[in-house]
Amino acid sequence: MQLRVWRFLDGNRAHEKQSAALVCGLRKSFAGQVQSFDIPAGLTPSRILLGRMEELEQLPKPDFLIGTGRKSRLPMLAARRRFGGRAISINRPQLPFSWFDYAIVPEHDRPPPLENVILSQGALTEPLPENSPQAGRGLVLLGGPSKHYAWDIRAISEQIEPLLNQPIEWQITDSRRTPEGTLDALSGERINLVDWRTCAPGWVQEQMALAGQIWVSEDSVSMLFESLQSRARVGVIRVPGRGKSNKVRAAVQRLIDQDIVSEHLGEVLAQPQRQPLDQYLLCARALLRRCGLPLN
């Protein structure tokens, strides 16, 4: 038995990682073979509906059409109309939910309680490399200011300082959003400061899989949920928010309330060994179950 998936790309690496994670979950969960075909970004709905589309016509007819991001939505819906299959939006579609067969949406986006909505706890992330975490390794991941958060280098440095007093070799890395000077404000004997520009593809995921502790600035909710795909103990570095209504902070607070992460070092050290969050797998199984397709 085969399940054929058309995965619509939009040129955004973060979006494409989420759809790749769902395909990975389908491969692990479906009682049969999963074939996945990447549909390149840039195909317009009118061309898909009205033009000669040899690159699509030569593919097996899809069972699932999956897309993440605004630029994937209309091409995916046009392809469903012409070639059939079920259209699955990952994240809130910014179009009527009724236009899609299913939507997989993070809880913090507060989707309506519709029959075709599957809730995820955070963004879907692929499984990390199969490495055993090492107690003597630590990883700090820093984001930066956004529409939900400001940035305070001094306050962040004060939160990181107690972490560095542990007998741990720390890797501290920034990201595209991190203001200049943030890494310069950090120092210590057992610290390796890593500029994001120097990181090879997959480096962060490898470090996550090896770390015994991971600390993430709370503005980086996608990195926080990716950290929960590891077996490490995970902590949150607090960042000043903008305004009273902050759906990202609410998502982080829920993880704290559930004792999954903490902002306090003592509580992080007391965390029991845990299993990866595996939202990509849970959502894939929920999708197959709702479609009446067999699970392995």
Side-chain angles (χ1 to χ4, degrees), residues 30-165:
F30 180 62
Q33 182 183 9
V34 175
Q35 291 182 298
S36 179
F37 304 91
D38 288 350
I39 310 302
L43 298 181
T44 64
S46 59
R47 187 182 167 204
I48 292 173
L49 285 171
L50 305 173
R52 287 188 56 81
M53 294 292 299
E54 292 184 2
E55 61 265 53
L56 299 184
E57 292 167 356
Q58 293 173 357
L59 297 178
K61 292 290 192 295
D63 299 298
F64 288 160
L65 305 96
I66 295 172
T68 313
R70 178 177 53 83
K71 294 180 181 178
S72 72
R73 310 293 192 216
L74 293 178
M76 178 172 61
L77 293 173
R80 180 187 62 180
R81 180 163 184 174
R82 180 166 178 180
F83 298 101
R86 293 181 173 99
I88 295 102
S89 168
I90 300 176
N91 295 339
R92 198 177 186 106
Q94 298 177 317
L95 292 169
F97 281 90
S98 59
W99 290 13
F100 299 87
D101 293 276
Y102 293 99
I104 298 173
V105 186
E107 292 173 324
H108 62 256
D109 280 342
R110 306 185 193 97
L114 300 173
E115 291 184 359
N116 64 335
V117 171
I118 298 171
L119 290 177
S120 66
Q121 193 168 6
L124 302 187
T125 60
E126 295 179 89
L128 296 175
E130 289 291 336
N131 295 324
S132 298
Q134 301 174 16
R137 293 179 67 114
L139 180 65
V140 175
L141 302 169
L142 299 176
S146 67
K147 67 179 181 179
H148 295 296
Y149 288 96
W151 196 252
D152 185 335
I153 294 178
R154 178 178 294 181
I156 289 168
S157 299
E158 290 174 353
Q159 293 176 73
I160 292 176
E161 186 176 350
L163 310 181
L164 306 184
N165 293 328

